[in-house]
């Protein structure tokens, strides 16, 4: 095979592919026919041959397009390696007895090859890698637990992010009663409870809500004294950014969180358990406040556009009534038709938004403290 | 589901009082106390309540003074004290209470002190009867109690088994006794006290002379008026003497059991004439207005007042043919069920007069008699303006009510039925019976809940008060444009079909067919006459309607789309389909709701099954053997709870695929800057159930070429609210943030021209949010998220002008909002700040909330029962409330001949002596069972406000509203 090695380097585009193999400090270069790579067994033999290590058991790995070190140990991943290599297939060979398994995947940014875990599962001395899953732009949060430090440990405030109609929120609420401590002693009071989670729905997939959790607040507004229909309407009205404060039916999980919060209490203002706050929070903040404000306008049967926000009226800011400015999010707003580009005016309003958003959030939180 | 029961009293037009019982019990009897300005009510819990009209601050108020429950000796059966008859005695403020046990108890007013020594027990009566009449069986319950017309010391007691005695109160003895073979229903004592007329359960009545000559075992005369076949009971009878000699015999019931047993009749017999007035609902009670002077020799009746379950009917007994009298109040609003209402404020005098003129020609069959009930004096100032309330009805009629003052008065009735071919031809009316028909039935009253064809129902009304153009739209997609014409006319109605589905294919409408219109000219009576009929296809119910009389355009919308029609050129301008392709429900029509009913049935069965399964599981779980089952149960404690809770609500964001998203909720015409900020143009706006707003720019040719060039329309904007809540209101604010005026308002110099210099703003009200956008470039400016904050949804929204009480010419426009919780809120314009909130309608009262209409001046109406509108006011300036005075006995003496001539005295001649003192009070209340004893009506009635604040507190409450409003700057 190495007979065509010189030639192949120059004509990689003509069906052959250059392979650069490294064992220890030694490199070997050769080429393979891209269309007919053959079987892994043959390739393994070829590697032993070119490196002149015929009886040594080795682990074969290659660098994928992202620069991750991935193993080659069967026909499938061998073919994958060949087909994705461009222009060069870089092979790394380790002796099996001295192999550093943790080398595999350490550079991995996208963890999608379960082959990796298949190979490495038996070995437990692998150092637990720091979880950096992906670039924030590739991911979006579906839920988070917020305000851990300001809520009683028996409560949990869950934020559900609803994007478009891809996944239903998927839960039901019902009337019920709960026992409260009141100035007059224990008292049975009516309450609203989660009655059902739809399999595959957003609520279920978060694992943060469960049947029989008592709903205490919806987006910072207490539900006590409100009817089931009112709470239903409030939740639906907030469905694009629903923040539910519940008293979980299962209080066992609270103990863990309690110890953690007590350690960090007073330090963190946003103790999000999922993901890293500094990555996720900025990207979703505009979404939080006004995700449902991305009304669409079609002018003269043209292309749908998001409605921009007009220059805010300062008068309305002063009032503590229920008036909010309509902050039009420009960055991560839900745009039903994905190809729609943002109106340039939206970026201008974003700066406006960011200056006000924290205030608003604080207000909300203050309200929470009072009500609790 | 019961509420505190109001007692109401009515006198002259504008004179009315309401009192609210604290108890949640039905009122079964009301009695006026002669000459006291007081009345006693009996509730179905056997409690008595004393009310009096007290003058406070120049106006009378109805107040409850005392209440009382009759108690027998310990251990007595409850029936011993169950009150059947109440007789207010003319002397000494005594109440005689007849009971089921046959005893008559006496209590003294006003404190309801029981006078036990005066009790007339059945045993005492029995002992004082002559030997031959002494049968135990003659007693049983007291059916009738009457005071002697001339001698207050004699009362008559009638027992249900047929014994009637005249009892001497002073001597405690039986003066006379009469024994009938039939069960007694009621009894009447002739004015001179010499004749008794008793009526019986077999449909007969008997006359008994009262004379000391000899005890007559047999009646003078016994008659079964509708015999010889078995008849129903005559439950009440009146025998009234006249100057001319021949008496009036008026009785209730007595109809032949087999053929007319289901009729509700009152028969009047006089001078060879006999008429059985046939009512469409059960007769609760009736009375006759007669000569009031107790000294007069004759009754001389002049009006028959009948309270039926659904309406009040007054019949003129002086005019030949006994015509009915038109009601100045308490008209039957629901003679056909109300399907919609529309309020127009401040009607120009010219239009007002023309409507009244058209209406007066319809009322030719009414008596010319002045309204005979004239108690009290209305102190309410004349209304400052003329307001019309239009109600649409299930039978295809529109009724025009004078809503300017306290009473709703019917002005004119428009019927759209003549435009269509219906199954029942009005000419084939079988009510015109031959002369010799027996019994001589005659239909009276207007209550007729049966609609020939539900498709005729009126759903939307729009009246232009300046031009007299009226648009009405109905259940089967019909839209009529009408014009007021003072003359009768025979004209053909131009018919146009509006195909709202356009090219959408594969849809099959499974609902009702459209109405078949009459071809050729149709004769229309003076009034509003239709000239254009647009029929939507598919013929779904019209859900929104707008008329622009200046541009001569009418816009209409259904669940499928909307269209614009040029009624000047009689040409369709455009139609727009708003349907979402996945919206099966809208496509198939109302029939497909059957499916969802099936589905819900299925679900409830499933729930039942599930709960049965879980209950089966629960039982063995307790036994020690079933450890596994038990532990499984403790792991899922929720399952059990879930089964117990029958109601759960799905939490899901709305999507474009939801049903009825295309349903057009609101249409609005505006002259504004739709495309660019340099030129304004006419525009049409439509809002749908799915949160979409469509804006069309219109080109209306100038007046001189109006007939030559077509009106053109082009879609200019489409806005999709991402929260997708139904759009319930669209409004454009001018450069000064003032709502644009109505069409022709400026032309009639009744409004300032809108400011066209500054930039206009678009206000969109959805069920969940209020949003202000800039125009012509649509950018979001302000919003108020109502539902997210309160969990309430907007049901009705309207611009209201709040005038200042201090400065005559100052006022502000704000939004009056009704939520699904029954709250009324005021939201400021243009900043959308919530100002005040009041509970108004009970949140469970869905039909009350659905029926609410706002006026342009901060008032509103809603139905508190199918037949009654309640009026409320948010305005400090515009208040309509009854304010009236009833002279008490003391002040009465100063005005003997003042207006209330002897002929007009409404009180029935049932009381002698001081009866004239009572004449100024409300005769409706003399009736023993008032309107409010009707169960169905009662259930609908509720207090005006939350809790049991009565109408008397209403005033102060509104004052509070006024203060709060002033914060909003409306002073």
């Amino acid at each position: 095979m190495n007979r065509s090695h010189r030639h192949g380097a120059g004509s990689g585009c003509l069906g052959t592919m250059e392979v650069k193999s490294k064992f220890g400090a030694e490199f070997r270069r050769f080429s393979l026919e891209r269309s007919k790579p053959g079987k892994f067994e043959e390739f393994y033999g070829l590697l032993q041959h070119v490196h002149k290590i015929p009886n040594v058991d080795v682990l074969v790995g290659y660098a994928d397009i992202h620069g991750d070190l991935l193993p080659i140990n069967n026909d499938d991943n061998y073919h994958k390696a060949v087909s994705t290599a461009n222009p060069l297939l870089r092979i790394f060979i380790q002796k099996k007895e001295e192999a550093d398994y943790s080398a595999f995947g350490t550079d991995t940014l996208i963890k999608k090859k379960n082959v990796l875990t298949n190979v490495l599962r038996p070995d437990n001395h692998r150092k637990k890698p720091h979880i950096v899953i992906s670039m924030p732009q590739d991911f979006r949060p579906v839920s988070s637990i917020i305000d851990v430090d300001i809520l009683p440990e028996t409560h949990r405030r869950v934020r559900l992010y609803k994007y478009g109609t891809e996944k239903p929120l998927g839960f039901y609420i019902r009337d019920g009663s709960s026992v409260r401590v009141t100035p007059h002693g224990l008292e049975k009071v009516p309450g609203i409870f989660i009655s059902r989670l739809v399999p595959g729905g957003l609520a279920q997939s978060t694992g943060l809500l469960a049947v029989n959790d008592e709903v205490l607040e919806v987006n910072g507004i207490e539900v006590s004294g409100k009817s089931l229909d009112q709470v239903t309407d409030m939740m639906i009205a907030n469905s694009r950014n629903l923040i539910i404060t519940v008293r979980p039916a299962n209080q066992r999980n609270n103990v863990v969180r309690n110890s953690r919060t007590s350690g960090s209490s007073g330090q963190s203002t946003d103790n999000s358990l999922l993901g890293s706050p500094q990555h996720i929070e900025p990207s979703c903040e505009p979404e939080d406040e006004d995700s449902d404000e991305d009304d669409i306008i079609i002018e003269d049967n043209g292309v749908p556009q998001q409605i921009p926000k007009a220059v805010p009226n300062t008068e309305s800011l002063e009032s503590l009534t229920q008036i909010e400015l309509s902050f039009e999010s420009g960055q991560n707003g839900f745009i039903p038709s994905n190809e729609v580009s943002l109106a340039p005016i939206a970026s201008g309003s974003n700066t406006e938004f960011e200056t006000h958003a924290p205030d608003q959030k604080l207000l909300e939180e203050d309200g929470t403290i009072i009500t609790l | 589901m019961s509420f505190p029961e109001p007692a109401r009293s009515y006198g002259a037009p504008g004179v009315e009082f309401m009192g609210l019982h604290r108890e949640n019990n039905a009122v079964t009897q009301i009695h006026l106390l002669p000459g006291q300005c007081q009345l006693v009510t009996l509730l179905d819990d056997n409690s008595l309540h004393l009310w009096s009209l007290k003058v406070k601050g120049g106006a009378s108020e109805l107040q409850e003074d005392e209440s009382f429950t009759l108690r027998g000796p310990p251990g007595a059966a409850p029936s011993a004290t169950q009150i059947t008859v109440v007789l207010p005695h003319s002397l000494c403020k005594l109440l005689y209470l007849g009971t089921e046990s046959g005893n008559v108890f006496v209590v003294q007013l006003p404190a309801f002190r029981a006078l036990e020594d005066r009790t007339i027990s059945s045993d005492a009566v029995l002992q004082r009867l002559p030997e031959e009449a002494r049968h135990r069986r003659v007693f049983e319950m007291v059916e009738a109690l009457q005071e002697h017309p001339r001698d207050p010391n004699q009362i008559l007691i009638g027992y249900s088994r047929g014994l009637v005695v005249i009892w001497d109160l002073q001597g405690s003895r039986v003066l006379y006794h009469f024994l009938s073979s039939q069960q007694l229903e009621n009894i009447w004592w002739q004015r001179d006290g010499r004749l008794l007329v008793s009526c019986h359960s077999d449909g007969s009545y008997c006359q008994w002379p009262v004379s000391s000559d000899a005890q007559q075992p047999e009646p003078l005369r016994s008659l079964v008026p509708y015999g010889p076949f078995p008849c129903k009971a005559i439950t009440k009878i009146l025998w009234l003497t006249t100057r001319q000699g021949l008496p009036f015999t008026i009785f209730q019931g007595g109809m032949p059991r087999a053929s007319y047993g289901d009729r509700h009749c009152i028969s009047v017999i006089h001078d060879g004439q006999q008429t059985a007035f046939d009512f469409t609902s059960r007769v609760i009670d009736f009375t006759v207005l007669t000569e009031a002077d107790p000294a007069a020799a004759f009754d001389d009746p002049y009006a028959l007042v009948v309270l039926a379950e659904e309406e009040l009917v007054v019949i003129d007994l002086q005019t030949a043919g006994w015509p009915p009298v038109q009601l100045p109040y308490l008209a039957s609003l629901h003679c056909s069920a109300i399907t919609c209402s529309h309020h127009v404020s401040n009607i120009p005098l010219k239009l007002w007069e023309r409507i009244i003129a058209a209406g007066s020609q319809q009322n030719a069959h009414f008596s010319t008699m002045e309204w005979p009930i004239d108690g009290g004096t209305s102190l309410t100032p004349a209304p400052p303006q003329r307001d019309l309330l239009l109600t649409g009805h299930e039978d295809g009629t529109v009724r025009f009510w004078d809503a300017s003052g306290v009473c709703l008065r019917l002005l004119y009735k428009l019927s759209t039925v003549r435009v269509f071919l219906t199954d029942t031809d009005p000419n084939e009316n079988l009510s015109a019976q031959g002369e010799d028909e027996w019994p001589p039935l005659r239909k009276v009253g207007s209550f007729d809940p049966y609609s020939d064809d539900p498709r005729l129902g009126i759903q939307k009304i729009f009246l232009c008060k300046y031009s007299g153009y009226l648009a009405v739209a109905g259940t089967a997609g019909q839209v009529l444009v009408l014009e007021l014409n003072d003359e009768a006319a025979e004209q053909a109605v131009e018919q146009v079909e509006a195909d709202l589905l356009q090219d959408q294919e594969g849809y099959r409408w499974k609902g009702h067919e459209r109405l078949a219109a009459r071809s050729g000219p149709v004769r229309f009576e003076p009034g509003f006459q239709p000239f254009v009929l647009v029929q939507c296809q598919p013929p779904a119910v019209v859900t929104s309607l707008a008329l622009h009389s200046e541009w001569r355009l009418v816009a209409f919308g259904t669940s499928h789309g909307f269209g614009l029609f040029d009624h000047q050129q009689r040409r369709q301008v455009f139609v727009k389909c708003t349907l979402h392709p996945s919206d099966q429900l809208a496509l198939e029509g109302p029939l497909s709701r059957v499916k969802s009913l099936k589905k819900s049935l299925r679900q409830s069965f499933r729930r039942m099954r599930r709960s049965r399964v879980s209950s089966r599981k629960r039982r063995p779980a307790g036994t020690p053997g079933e450890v596994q089952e038990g532990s499984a149960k403790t792991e899922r404690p929720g399952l059990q709870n879930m089964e117990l809770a029958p109601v759960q609500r799905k939490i899901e964001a709305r999507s474009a695929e939801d049903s009825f998203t295309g349903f057009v909720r609101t249409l609005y015409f505006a002259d504004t800057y739709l495309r660019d900020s340099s030129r304004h143009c006419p525009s049409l706006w439509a809002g749908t159930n799915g949160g979409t707003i469509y804006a069309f720019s219109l080109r209306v040719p100038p007046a001189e070429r109006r007939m030559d060039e077509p009106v053109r329309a082009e879609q200019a904007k489409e806005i999709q609210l991402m929260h997708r809540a139904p759009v319930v209101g669209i409004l454009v604010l001018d450069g000064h943030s003032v709502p644009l005026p109505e069409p022709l308002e400026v032309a009639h110099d009744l409004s300032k021209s809108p400011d066209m210099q500054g930039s206009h703003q678009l206000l969109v009200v959805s069920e969940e949010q209020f949003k202000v956008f800039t125009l012509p470039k649509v950018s979001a400016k302000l919003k108020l998220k109502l539902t997210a904050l309160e969990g309430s949804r907007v049901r009705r929204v309207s611009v209201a002008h709040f005038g200042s009480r201090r400065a005559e010419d100052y006022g502000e426009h704000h939004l009056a909002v009704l939520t699904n919780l029954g709250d009324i809120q005021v939201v400021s314009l243009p900043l959308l700040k919530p100002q005040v909130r009041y509970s108004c309608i009970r949140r469970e009262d869905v039909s009350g909330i659905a029926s609410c209409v706002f006026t342009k001046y901060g008032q509103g109406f809603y139905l508190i029962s199918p037949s009654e509108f309640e009026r409320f006011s948010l305005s400090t300036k515009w208040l309509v409330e009854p304010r009236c005075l009833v002279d008490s006995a003391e002040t009465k003496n100063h005005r003997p001949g003042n207006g209330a001539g002897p002929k007009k005295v409404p009180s029935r001649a049932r009381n002698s002596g001081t009866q004239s003192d009572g004449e100024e009070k409300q005769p409706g209340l003399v009736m023993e069972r008032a309107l409010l004893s009707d169960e169905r009506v009662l259930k609908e009635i509720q207090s005006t406000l939350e809790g049991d604040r009565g109408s008397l507190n209403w005033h102060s409450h509104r004052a509070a509203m006024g203060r709060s409003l002033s914060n909003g700057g409306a002073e």
Side-chain angles (χ1 to χ4, degrees), chain A residues 169-173 195 212 226 229-230 232-234 290 293-296 298-300 308 310 322-323, chain B residues 638 642 648-649 651-652 675 716-720 722 771 779-780 783 790-791 793 821 831-833:
Chain A
L169 282 169
F171 67 101
Y172 290 74
I173 56 172
S195 63
N212 288 327
K226 290 194 160 60
D229 287 335
Q230 264 178 289
T232 304
D233 284 339
M234 285 167 69
D290 263 322
E293 298 313 307
D294 312 335
D295 300 332
I296 306 269
I298 303 170
E299 301 260 4
D300 298 326
Q322 312 296 14
I323 295 174
Chain B
M642 193 177 85
Q648 55 176 1
R649 294 276 184 273
I651 306 300
E652 206 46 79
R675 287 179 183 278
K717 286 185 182 356
E718 179 181 334
I719 298 170
Q720 176 62 56
M722 287 320 288
K771 296 191 129 182
S779 53
K783 68 163 186 257
E790 298 179 1
R793 302 167 69 84
L821 305 180
L831 289 179
L832 301 183
K833 292 185 192 177

Side-chain angles (χ1 to χ4, degrees), chain B residues 541-591:
Chain B
V541 52
V542 176
T543 54
S544 54
L545 182 72
L547 177 76
H548 199 293
S549 43
E550 197 169 350
W551 304 335
R552 306 287 165 103
L553 297 172
V554 62
F556 48 89
T558 71
S559 47
H560 301 90
F562 59 98
L564 181 66
F565 189 84
D566 173 2
H567 67 78
Q568 178 86 8
Q569 292 187 27
R570 309 202 175 169
R571 210 180 57 84
Q572 183 172 294
V573 180
F574 76 92
V575 290
K576 164 89 183 171
C577 182
T578 54
L579 211 54
H580 193 279
S582 66
D583 192 351
Q584 281 302 315
L585 225 51
L587 291 169
E588 293 176 352
L591 273 184

Side-chain angles (χ1 to χ4, degrees), chain B residues 355-421:
Chain B
I355 291 172
I356 288 177
S360 64
Q361 299 187 44
Q362 297 178 326
N363 298 333
H365 65 286
F366 282 114
S367 163
T368 52
M369 174 189 264
E370 232 179 285
W371 182 243
I373 299 169
D374 60 357
T377 316
S378 175
L379 304 175
T380 314
Q385 59 184 32
R386 293 164 294 274
D387 287 357
L388 263 185
L389 181 66
L390 280 70
T391 53
H393 298 261
E394 203 180 22
D395 63 354
T397 58
V398 178
R399 283 173 168 77
F400 290 60
W401 303 91
D402 173 2
S404 327
V406 172
C407 318
L408 279 185
R409 187 165 59 100
L410 181 65
L411 298 179
Y412 166 72
K413 182 180 119 180
L414 161 73
S415 175
T416 62
V417 181
R418 292 194 68 79
V419 180
F420 305 101
L421 289 165

Side-chain angles (χ1 to χ4, degrees), chain B residues 127-146:
Chain B
Q127 283 167 22
R128 288 161 178 86
L129 275 179
E131 201 68 41
E132 75 276 7
R134 255 185 233 173
H135 306 293
R136 186 80 213 170
R137 63 159 195 89
V138 296
F139 290 99
E140 294 207 345
M141 70 162 84
V142 179
E143 284 284 1
L145 273 179
Q146 303 255 322

Side-chain angles (χ1 to χ4, degrees), chain A residues 21-292:
Chain A
S21 174
K22 180 176 184 255
F23 177 66
E26 291 183 39
F27 288 95
R28 296 286 184 278
R29 282 170 180 273
F30 58 95
S31 67
L32 282 178
E33 206 148 334
R34 197 186 282 267
S35 54
K36 276 184 258 170
K39 290 189 181 301
F40 170 68
E41 290 299 326
E42 297 167 20
F43 182 65
Y44 188 79
L46 178 65
L47 289 176
Q48 284 178 321
H49 175 72
V50 298
H51 284 285
K52 299 190 172 64
I53 43 168
N55 294 315
V56 182
D57 283 344
V58 291
L59 286 179
V60 183
Y62 76 103
D64 78 345
I65 46 168
H66 302 288
D68 300 345
L69 179 61
L70 299 176
I72 300 179
N73 49 13
N74 59 29
D75 287 347
D76 287 342
N77 50 25
Y78 169 55
H79 290 154
K80 178 78 179 170
V82 171
S83 61
T84 57
N86 187 28
L88 184 75
L89 178 61
R90 291 145 61 92
I91 298 291
F92 301 89
I93 299 169
Q94 291 175 286
K95 269 190 190 161
K96 221 169 206 170
E97 50 266 37
E98 52 196 46
D100 175 12
Y101 290 97
S102 65
F104 288 106
T106 27
D107 298 332
T108 301
L109 288 175
I110 301 167
K111 187 178 173 184
K112 57 184 168 190
K113 295 275 188 287
N114 52 10
V115 212
L116 184 76
T117 45
N118 287 345
V119 178
L120 302 175
R121 184 65 58 187
D123 193 281
N124 280 333
H125 69 267
R126 179 168 68 100
K127 181 178 70 184
K128 197 178 176 187
H130 172 62
I131 300 173
V132 180
I133 300 169
S134 162
M135 297 301 285
Q137 65 264 26
D138 294 338
F139 273 69
R140 52 175 173 72
V142 291
S143 64
S144 52
I145 299 184
I146 57 173
D147 300 338
V148 176
D149 49 343
I150 57 167
L151 283 176
E153 61 202 44
T154 53
H155 297 181
R156 179 187 296 161
R157 184 167 293 170
V158 178
R159 168 177 277 167
L160 297 175
Y161 303 88
K162 167 92 177 133
Y163 293 85
T165 53
E166 302 150 25
K167 204 171 197 180
L169 282 169
F171 67 101
Y172 290 74
I173 56 172
R174 61 165 172 90
D175 279 317
S177 60
S178 67
V179 177
R180 291 274 170 80
V181 185
T182 69
H184 318 291
L186 290 179
E187 204 176 309
K188 207 172 181 185
V189 293
I192 303 286
F193 295 83
I194 294 176
S195 63
R196 190 153 87 84
L197 298 178
V198 177
L202 188 59
Q204 192 211 39
S205 66
T206 64
L208 301 177
L209 298 172
V211 169
N212 288 327
D213 287 0
E214 183 181 0
V215 177
L216 303 170
E217 291 177 1
V218 175
N219 288 53
I221 293 161
E222 263 192 277
V223 304
S224 78
K226 290 194 160 60
S227 70
L228 184 63
D229 287 335
Q230 264 178 289
V231 177
T232 304
D233 284 339
M234 285 167 69
M235 286 186 171
I236 291 175
N238 287 302
S239 58
R240 285 176 192 282
N241 174 39
L242 187 56
I243 301 169
I244 313 178
T245 309
V246 292
R247 190 207 323 265
N250 180 355
Q251 292 279 337
R252 276 175 295 180
N253 293 342
N254 297 338
V255 182
V256 179
R257 199 181 76 192
N258 187 25
S259 62
R260 284 187 53 171
T261 3
S262 61
S264 67
S265 92
Q267 294 176 11
S268 165
T269 51
D270 197 345
N271 200 350
S272 214
L273 285 188
L274 277 194
S276 124
Q278 60 267 45
H279 278 267
I280 287 165
E281 287 306 322
S283 68
C284 64
E285 273 294 333
E287 194 71 40
D288 298 346
E289 293 303 328
D290 263 322
S291 58
D292 61 334

